[in-house]
Amino acid sequence: MKNQVRICMIGSGRVGKNHSGIIRNNIPAAKIVALVDPIETARQETAAEYEIEEQYESLDQALERSKFDAVMITTPPSSHLPLAILAAENKKQIFLEKPMGLTMEECHQISDAVDRNHVILQLGFMRRFDPEFIHAYERIQGGEIGDPMMIKSNTHGPGLPAARWAQDLKTSNGMLSEVNSHDWDSVRWLMGANIERVYAEVANFKGASYNVTTENFYDNVLVNCKFENGGLGMISGICPCGYGYDARVEIVGTKGIMQIGTIEGEAIVVCNNRETGLIRPIVKTWPQRFAYGYINEISHFVQCVQNDQQPCVSMEDGKWAVAGVLAGTKSFFEKRPVYLNEIYSA
Ligand SMILES: NC(=O)c1ccc[n+]([C@@H]2O[C@H](COP(=O)([O-])OP(=O)(O)OC[C@H]3O[C@@H](n4cnc5c(N)ncnc54)[C@H](O)[C@@H]3O)[C@@H](O)[C@H]2O)c1
């Protein structure tokens, strides 16, 4: 039997908790041995909930005092660069939450450090591991709908993230990154082509009612995309949408159409009142919608560490998603279409 992979979880926020629960409950091949977070109360609460024995204020401290094979970086985007570089330089295998970085320069620095130190890095694109997305991808590859011509991908999140960094474009790159990073990656994957140029429009409907006063904040975005293979696409983001977690994709090919996802959260349908009629539950949250995606992506990472293999989601995939975010942002600021090659290598 292969050795159990010893993981240091960095970050005890929403995703740190989600991934800690998944490892404890679903992945016997791995164990979280240490938790890092500078906020003591958050760290203690998460460590207690998920029975993590060691706790540290910083990755430096964990590296000095603990023994582990891999890190999972689930911290705000502005910390991804220093944490990924420190982990790589200490020969730790890396699972890095999206977005890879806030700028292309940060992404290139991360990939240089990973390559230089011969470690692996997997990006947290769990849709690549979601059974429905995989099935759709395989059926598109099998030619069932012909050549993909047009894709529409929407992600609408129920509530505004409470953390201030996530509400500020300067520290998060806004919703195009926080909510739509997954769309940037999956439209490119499903269409089998890079995005050539984008045009984005944003709007702010609910910010004031949530007391969000950060500069240029938006809660609705719509992006038109032209792919390098001639295909067309659209990405939409809304957060907070208020009604649930809604991540659906439609792909039209030369021979047919395919839809991925539904907003109906369970098969249960209730009728207890003639006035309201049938009641169907909605998907409420991202941990619910992508539960299997998260389990499968972390299992894949653990197997890659055990077998010294490259993950199937590459750093290039991470870079193209960041390039989409930056091109979309430039587009709505400058009110013009933006080519991704203006961004990618910068
Ligand atoms: N894959 C997904 O579905 C998904 C969903 C939500 C968020 N995310 C991404 O995950 C990351 C974290 O998001 P979140 O919503 O969990 O954030 P959060 O604000 O809820 O939690 C972040 C935690 O990181 C800690 N932290 C900050 N700097 C640190 C450092 N240098 N070392 C250790 N800990 C540090 C904070 O104290 C906080 O507890 C972001 O990059 C976000 O884009 C991914």
Side-chain angles (χ1 to χ4, degrees), residues 10-16 19 36-39 42 57-59 73-77 79-80 83 97-99 124-126 161 163 165 177-178 182 245 286 290 294 297:
I10 312 179
S12 58
R14 296 186 309 162
V15 178
H19 292 3
V36 173
D37 199 301
I39 299 176
E57 283 171 18
S58 67
L59 176 57
I73 301 174
T74 69
T75 56
S79 59
H80 289 186
L83 290 170
E97 259 313 328
K98 50 60 56 171
F125 289 137
M126 74 292 182
W165 66 261
S177 182
E178 273 313 296
H182 300 292
Y245 182 77
W286 43 266
F290 287 110
Y294 293 116
E297 71 169 358

Short mmCIF file of all heavy atoms in Angstrom, two decimals, residues 10-16 19 36-39 42 57-59 73-77 79-80 83 97-99 124-126 161 163 165 177-178 182 245 286 290 294 297, ligand 1:
data_model
loop_
_atom_site.label_atom_id
_atom_site.label_comp_id
_atom_site.label_asym_id
_atom_site.label_seq_id
_atom_site.Cartn_x
_atom_site.Cartn_y
_atom_site.Cartn_z
N ILE A 10 -3.45 25.17 4.38
CA ILE A 10 -3.15 26.59 4.64
C ILE A 10 -4.42 27.39 4.40
O ILE A 10 -4.91 27.49 3.27
CB ILE A 10 -2.02 27.11 3.72
CG1 ILE A 10 -0.83 26.12 3.74
CG2 ILE A 10 -1.57 28.49 4.18
CD1 ILE A 10 0.31 26.54 2.84
N GLY A 11 -4.96 27.93 5.46
CA GLY A 11 -6.22 28.68 5.38
C GLY A 11 -7.32 27.89 6.06
O GLY A 11 -7.52 26.69 5.78
N SER A 12 -8.04 28.56 6.97
CA SER A 12 -9.13 27.86 7.65
C SER A 12 -10.44 28.59 7.42
O SER A 12 -11.30 28.64 8.28
CB SER A 12 -8.83 27.73 9.15
OG SER A 12 -8.64 29.02 9.69
N GLY A 13 -10.58 29.17 6.22
CA GLY A 13 -11.82 29.86 5.87
C GLY A 13 -12.80 28.91 5.20
O GLY A 13 -12.82 27.70 5.48
N ARG A 14 -13.60 29.46 4.29
CA ARG A 14 -14.67 28.66 3.68
C ARG A 14 -14.13 27.43 2.96
O ARG A 14 -14.61 26.30 3.15
CB ARG A 14 -15.46 29.53 2.69
CG ARG A 14 -16.17 30.69 3.33
CD ARG A 14 -17.05 31.41 2.33
NE ARG A 14 -16.34 31.77 1.11
CZ ARG A 14 -16.95 32.08 -0.03
NH1 ARG A 14 -18.27 32.08 -0.11
NH2 ARG A 14 -16.24 32.41 -1.09
N VAL A 15 -13.10 27.65 2.14
CA VAL A 15 -12.58 26.53 1.35
C VAL A 15 -11.70 25.62 2.20
O VAL A 15 -11.73 24.39 2.04
CB VAL A 15 -11.83 27.06 0.11
CG1 VAL A 15 -11.24 25.92 -0.68
CG2 VAL A 15 -12.77 27.88 -0.75
N GLY A 16 -10.93 26.22 3.10
CA GLY A 16 -10.10 25.39 3.99
C GLY A 16 -10.97 24.41 4.76
O GLY A 16 -10.63 23.23 4.92
N HIS A 19 -12.45 21.68 2.25
CA HIS A 19 -11.47 20.67 1.84
C HIS A 19 -11.03 19.80 3.05
O HIS A 19 -10.76 18.61 2.89
CB HIS A 19 -10.27 21.33 1.19
CG HIS A 19 -10.59 21.98 -0.15
ND1 HIS A 19 -11.85 22.01 -0.69
CD2 HIS A 19 -9.80 22.61 -1.05
CE1 HIS A 19 -11.82 22.64 -1.86
NE2 HIS A 19 -10.59 23.02 -2.10
N VAL A 36 -2.59 25.91 8.99
CA VAL A 36 -1.94 27.21 9.13
C VAL A 36 -2.97 28.31 8.90
O VAL A 36 -3.69 28.29 7.89
CB VAL A 36 -0.82 27.36 8.07
CG1 VAL A 36 -0.25 28.78 8.10
CG2 VAL A 36 0.29 26.35 8.29
N ASP A 37 -3.03 29.25 9.82
CA ASP A 37 -3.85 30.44 9.64
C ASP A 37 -3.41 31.45 10.69
O ASP A 37 -3.27 31.08 11.87
CB ASP A 37 -5.36 30.12 9.81
CG ASP A 37 -6.25 31.18 9.19
OD1 ASP A 37 -6.16 32.37 9.60
OD2 ASP A 37 -7.04 30.85 8.28
N PRO A 38 -3.21 32.71 10.28
CA PRO A 38 -2.75 33.68 11.28
C PRO A 38 -3.83 34.04 12.30
O PRO A 38 -3.53 34.57 13.37
CB PRO A 38 -2.37 34.91 10.44
CG PRO A 38 -3.07 34.73 9.14
CD PRO A 38 -3.28 33.27 8.94
N ILE A 39 -5.09 33.76 11.98
CA ILE A 39 -6.17 34.12 12.91
C ILE A 39 -6.44 32.96 13.86
O ILE A 39 -6.92 31.89 13.45
CB ILE A 39 -7.45 34.52 12.14
CG1 ILE A 39 -7.13 35.74 11.26
CG2 ILE A 39 -8.60 34.82 13.09
CD1 ILE A 39 -8.26 36.18 10.38
N ALA A 42 -10.06 31.34 14.19
CA ALA A 42 -10.47 30.57 12.99
C ALA A 42 -9.71 29.25 12.96
O ALA A 42 -10.27 28.18 12.67
CB ALA A 42 -10.17 31.39 11.74
N GLU A 57 0.85 29.55 12.97
CA GLU A 57 0.44 30.89 12.54
C GLU A 57 0.86 31.19 11.12
O GLU A 57 0.30 32.06 10.47
CB GLU A 57 1.12 31.94 13.44
CG GLU A 57 0.50 32.08 14.78
CD GLU A 57 1.34 32.96 15.68
OE1 GLU A 57 2.20 33.71 15.19
OE2 GLU A 57 1.12 32.88 16.90
N SER A 58 1.91 30.50 10.67
CA SER A 58 2.43 30.80 9.32
C SER A 58 2.97 29.52 8.70
O SER A 58 3.30 28.55 9.42
CB SER A 58 3.55 31.83 9.41
OG SER A 58 4.65 31.25 10.08
N LEU A 59 3.12 29.56 7.37
CA LEU A 59 3.70 28.40 6.69
C LEU A 59 5.16 28.22 7.11
O LEU A 59 5.63 27.10 7.28
CB LEU A 59 3.58 28.56 5.17
CG LEU A 59 4.22 27.46 4.32
CD1 LEU A 59 3.66 26.08 4.66
CD2 LEU A 59 4.04 27.74 2.82
N ILE A 73 -3.29 25.24 -0.54
CA ILE A 73 -3.35 26.68 -0.31
C ILE A 73 -4.78 27.16 -0.57
O ILE A 73 -5.25 27.14 -1.72
CB ILE A 73 -2.34 27.42 -1.23
CG1 ILE A 73 -0.92 26.91 -0.95
CG2 ILE A 73 -2.43 28.94 -1.01
CD1 ILE A 73 0.15 27.46 -1.89
N THR A 74 -5.46 27.52 0.50
CA THR A 74 -6.87 27.94 0.39
C THR A 74 -7.04 29.33 1.00
O THR A 74 -7.99 29.59 1.73
CB THR A 74 -7.81 26.93 1.11
OG1 THR A 74 -7.58 27.03 2.51
CG2 THR A 74 -7.58 25.50 0.65
N THR A 75 -6.10 30.20 0.68
CA THR A 75 -6.06 31.55 1.26
C THR A 75 -6.46 32.56 0.20
O THR A 75 -6.56 32.22 -0.98
CB THR A 75 -4.63 31.83 1.75
OG1 THR A 75 -3.75 31.64 0.63
CG2 THR A 75 -4.24 30.91 2.88
N PRO A 76 -6.65 33.83 0.58
CA PRO A 76 -7.01 34.84 -0.42
C PRO A 76 -5.94 34.95 -1.52
O PRO A 76 -4.76 34.71 -1.28
CB PRO A 76 -7.10 36.13 0.41
CG PRO A 76 -7.40 35.66 1.80
CD PRO A 76 -6.68 34.36 1.95
N PRO A 77 -6.37 35.36 -2.73
CA PRO A 77 -5.48 35.35 -3.89
C PRO A 77 -4.17 36.12 -3.73
O PRO A 77 -3.15 35.73 -4.28
CB PRO A 77 -6.33 36.00 -5.00
CG PRO A 77 -7.73 35.81 -4.56
CD PRO A 77 -7.74 35.75 -3.07
N SER A 79 -2.20 36.13 -1.42
CA SER A 79 -1.18 35.34 -0.72
C SER A 79 -0.74 34.12 -1.54
O SER A 79 0.14 33.37 -1.10
CB SER A 79 -1.73 34.88 0.65
OG SER A 79 -2.91 34.11 0.45
N HIS A 80 -1.35 33.89 -2.69
CA HIS A 80 -1.02 32.66 -3.44
C HIS A 80 0.45 32.65 -3.89
O HIS A 80 1.13 31.61 -3.80
CB HIS A 80 -1.95 32.51 -4.65
CG HIS A 80 -3.36 32.16 -4.24
ND1 HIS A 80 -4.35 31.86 -5.15
CD2 HIS A 80 -3.95 32.07 -3.02
CE1 HIS A 80 -5.49 31.60 -4.50
NE2 HIS A 80 -5.26 31.73 -3.21
N LEU A 83 3.02 32.09 -0.85
CA LEU A 83 2.85 30.76 -0.25
C LEU A 83 3.28 29.65 -1.22
O LEU A 83 3.96 28.69 -0.82
CB LEU A 83 1.39 30.55 0.19
CG LEU A 83 0.94 31.39 1.40
CD1 LEU A 83 -0.57 31.30 1.57
CD2 LEU A 83 1.67 30.95 2.67
N GLU A 97 -5.65 26.77 -4.69
CA GLU A 97 -7.01 27.20 -5.07
C GLU A 97 -6.93 28.23 -6.19
O GLU A 97 -5.96 28.95 -6.34
CB GLU A 97 -7.75 27.78 -3.86
CG GLU A 97 -8.74 26.83 -3.22
CD GLU A 97 -9.67 26.13 -4.22
OE1 GLU A 97 -10.00 26.70 -5.27
OE2 GLU A 97 -10.05 24.98 -3.96
N LYS A 98 -8.01 28.29 -6.99
CA LYS A 98 -8.10 29.35 -7.98
C LYS A 98 -8.28 30.68 -7.27
O LYS A 98 -8.77 30.66 -6.13
CB LYS A 98 -9.24 29.10 -8.97
CG LYS A 98 -10.62 28.77 -8.42
CD LYS A 98 -11.43 29.61 -7.53
CE LYS A 98 -11.84 30.98 -7.77
NZ LYS A 98 -12.83 31.52 -6.79
N PRO A 99 -7.93 31.80 -7.85
CA PRO A 99 -7.18 31.95 -9.10
C PRO A 99 -5.71 31.68 -8.84
O PRO A 99 -5.23 31.85 -7.72
CB PRO A 99 -7.41 33.43 -9.43
CG PRO A 99 -7.49 34.09 -8.09
CD PRO A 99 -8.19 33.12 -7.20
N GLY A 124 -7.26 24.42 -8.29
CA GLY A 124 -8.55 23.97 -7.75
C GLY A 124 -9.72 24.15 -8.71
O GLY A 124 -10.72 24.78 -8.33
N PHE A 125 -9.61 23.58 -9.90
CA PHE A 125 -10.73 23.64 -10.86
C PHE A 125 -11.56 22.37 -10.73
O PHE A 125 -11.43 21.43 -11.52
CB PHE A 125 -10.20 23.80 -12.29
CG PHE A 125 -9.61 25.16 -12.57
CD1 PHE A 125 -8.43 25.29 -13.28
CD2 PHE A 125 -10.25 26.31 -12.16
CE1 PHE A 125 -7.89 26.53 -13.56
CE2 PHE A 125 -9.72 27.57 -12.42
CZ PHE A 125 -8.54 27.68 -13.13
N MET A 126 -12.46 22.35 -9.73
CA MET A 126 -13.17 21.11 -9.42
C MET A 126 -14.17 20.71 -10.49
O MET A 126 -14.58 19.55 -10.56
CB MET A 126 -13.85 21.19 -8.05
CG MET A 126 -15.08 22.03 -7.98
SD MET A 126 -14.66 23.78 -8.21
CE MET A 126 -16.23 24.57 -8.02
N PRO A 161 -19.65 36.98 -0.64
CA PRO A 161 -18.70 36.50 0.37
C PRO A 161 -18.48 37.58 1.43
O PRO A 161 -18.36 38.77 1.09
CB PRO A 161 -17.41 36.26 -0.43
CG PRO A 161 -17.82 36.22 -1.85
CD PRO A 161 -19.09 37.02 -1.98
N ALA A 163 -15.94 38.10 3.41
CA ALA A 163 -14.58 38.63 3.57
C ALA A 163 -14.40 39.90 2.74
O ALA A 163 -14.76 39.92 1.56
CB ALA A 163 -13.58 37.56 3.14
N TRP A 165 -11.73 41.21 1.49
CA TRP A 165 -10.83 41.09 0.33
C TRP A 165 -11.60 40.67 -0.92
O TRP A 165 -11.25 41.06 -2.03
CB TRP A 165 -9.69 40.10 0.63
CG TRP A 165 -10.11 38.66 0.82
CD1 TRP A 165 -10.30 38.01 1.99
CD2 TRP A 165 -10.39 37.70 -0.21
NE1 TRP A 165 -10.70 36.71 1.77
CE2 TRP A 165 -10.75 36.49 0.42
CE3 TRP A 165 -10.37 37.73 -1.61
CZ2 TRP A 165 -11.10 35.34 -0.28
CZ3 TRP A 165 -10.71 36.58 -2.32
CH2 TRP A 165 -11.08 35.41 -1.65
N SER A 177 -13.11 36.96 -11.35
CA SER A 177 -12.14 36.00 -10.83
C SER A 177 -12.76 35.13 -9.74
O SER A 177 -12.72 33.90 -9.80
CB SER A 177 -10.93 36.75 -10.26
OG SER A 177 -9.98 35.83 -9.80
N GLU A 178 -13.38 35.78 -8.76
CA GLU A 178 -13.88 35.02 -7.60
C GLU A 178 -15.00 34.04 -7.97
O GLU A 178 -15.06 32.93 -7.46
CB GLU A 178 -14.34 35.99 -6.51
CG GLU A 178 -13.25 36.42 -5.57
CD GLU A 178 -12.41 35.24 -5.09
OE1 GLU A 178 -12.94 34.37 -4.40
OE2 GLU A 178 -11.22 35.17 -5.44
N HIS A 182 -13.98 29.55 -12.71
CA HIS A 182 -14.32 28.20 -13.16
C HIS A 182 -14.90 28.21 -14.57
O HIS A 182 -14.67 27.30 -15.36
CB HIS A 182 -15.32 27.55 -12.19
CG HIS A 182 -14.78 27.44 -10.80
ND1 HIS A 182 -13.75 26.60 -10.48
CD2 HIS A 182 -15.10 28.09 -9.66
CE1 HIS A 182 -13.46 26.72 -9.19
NE2 HIS A 182 -14.27 27.62 -8.67
N TYR A 245 -27.36 28.43 -5.81
CA TYR A 245 -26.10 28.36 -6.56
C TYR A 245 -26.41 27.74 -7.91
O TYR A 245 -26.85 26.59 -7.99
CB TYR A 245 -25.06 27.53 -5.80
CG TYR A 245 -23.74 27.48 -6.52
CD1 TYR A 245 -22.87 28.57 -6.48
CD2 TYR A 245 -23.36 26.38 -7.26
CE1 TYR A 245 -21.66 28.56 -7.16
CE2 TYR A 245 -22.16 26.35 -7.94
CZ TYR A 245 -21.32 27.44 -7.89
OH TYR A 245 -20.13 27.42 -8.56
N TRP A 286 -22.18 26.09 -3.45
CA TRP A 286 -21.17 25.40 -4.26
C TRP A 286 -20.67 24.10 -3.62
O TRP A 286 -20.43 23.13 -4.34
CB TRP A 286 -20.02 26.33 -4.69
CG TRP A 286 -19.48 27.28 -3.65
CD1 TRP A 286 -19.87 28.57 -3.45
CD2 TRP A 286 -18.44 27.04 -2.68
NE1 TRP A 286 -19.14 29.14 -2.42
CE2 TRP A 286 -18.27 28.23 -1.94
CE3 TRP A 286 -17.64 25.94 -2.38
CZ2 TRP A 286 -17.32 28.35 -0.90
CZ3 TRP A 286 -16.70 26.05 -1.35
CH2 TRP A 286 -16.56 27.25 -0.63
N PHE A 290 -20.95 20.88 -6.14
CA PHE A 290 -19.74 20.23 -6.64
C PHE A 290 -19.12 19.27 -5.62
O PHE A 290 -17.90 19.07 -5.63
CB PHE A 290 -18.74 21.29 -7.13
CG PHE A 290 -19.18 21.92 -8.43
CD1 PHE A 290 -19.61 23.23 -8.47
CD2 PHE A 290 -19.19 21.18 -9.60
CE1 PHE A 290 -20.04 23.80 -9.67
CE2 PHE A 290 -19.62 21.74 -10.80
CZ PHE A 290 -20.04 23.05 -10.83
N TYR A 294 -15.20 18.13 -5.74
CA TYR A 294 -14.16 18.39 -4.74
C TYR A 294 -13.51 17.09 -4.28
O TYR A 294 -12.29 17.01 -4.13
CB TYR A 294 -14.74 19.13 -3.52
CG TYR A 294 -15.19 20.54 -3.84
CD1 TYR A 294 -16.52 20.91 -3.75
CD2 TYR A 294 -14.27 21.50 -4.24
CE1 TYR A 294 -16.94 22.20 -4.05
CE2 TYR A 294 -14.67 22.79 -4.55
CZ TYR A 294 -16.01 23.14 -4.45
OH TYR A 294 -16.41 24.41 -4.76
N GLU A 297 -11.29 15.88 -7.17
CA GLU A 297 -10.07 16.67 -7.47
C GLU A 297 -9.01 16.42 -6.39
O GLU A 297 -7.82 16.32 -6.70
CB GLU A 297 -10.37 18.17 -7.62
CG GLU A 297 -10.72 18.90 -6.34
CD GLU A 297 -10.75 20.42 -6.45
OE1 GLU A 297 -10.45 20.98 -7.53
OE2 GLU A 297 -11.08 21.06 -5.42
N1 LIG B 1 -12.89 26.15 -5.74
C1 LIG B 1 -13.93 26.79 -5.25
O1 LIG B 1 -15.07 26.38 -5.46
C2 LIG B 1 -13.73 28.02 -4.43
C3 LIG B 1 -14.82 28.56 -3.73
C4 LIG B 1 -14.62 29.72 -2.97
C5 LIG B 1 -13.36 30.30 -2.91
N2 LIG B 1 -12.33 29.75 -3.62
C6 LIG B 1 -10.95 30.33 -3.55
O2 LIG B 1 -10.34 29.87 -2.34
C7 LIG B 1 -9.52 30.88 -1.76
C8 LIG B 1 -10.00 31.18 -0.34
O3 LIG B 1 -11.34 31.59 -0.37
P1 LIG B 1 -12.25 31.54 0.96
O4 LIG B 1 -13.59 31.97 0.54
O5 LIG B 1 -12.07 30.25 1.66
O6 LIG B 1 -11.56 32.70 1.84
P2 LIG B 1 -11.84 33.05 3.38
O7 LIG B 1 -11.61 34.52 3.50
O8 LIG B 1 -13.11 32.44 3.84
O9 LIG B 1 -10.66 32.27 4.12
C9 LIG B 1 -9.31 32.55 3.90
C10 LIG B 1 -8.53 32.15 5.15
O10 LIG B 1 -7.12 32.27 4.85
C11 LIG B 1 -6.48 32.84 5.98
N3 LIG B 1 -5.22 33.43 5.54
C12 LIG B 1 -5.00 34.62 4.95
N4 LIG B 1 -3.70 34.78 4.65
C13 LIG B 1 -3.06 33.64 5.09
C14 LIG B 1 -1.72 33.20 5.06
N5 LIG B 1 -0.75 33.93 4.54
N6 LIG B 1 -1.44 31.99 5.60
C15 LIG B 1 -2.42 31.22 6.14
N7 LIG B 1 -3.72 31.59 6.17
C16 LIG B 1 -4.03 32.79 5.65
C17 LIG B 1 -7.48 33.84 6.52
O11 LIG B 1 -7.19 34.17 7.87
C18 LIG B 1 -8.79 33.08 6.37
O12 LIG B 1 -9.10 32.29 7.51
C19 LIG B 1 -9.59 32.07 -2.73
O13 LIG B 1 -8.52 32.01 -3.61
C20 LIG B 1 -10.90 31.83 -3.47
O14 LIG B 1 -10.91 32.39 -4.77
C21 LIG B 1 -12.48 28.62 -4.34
#
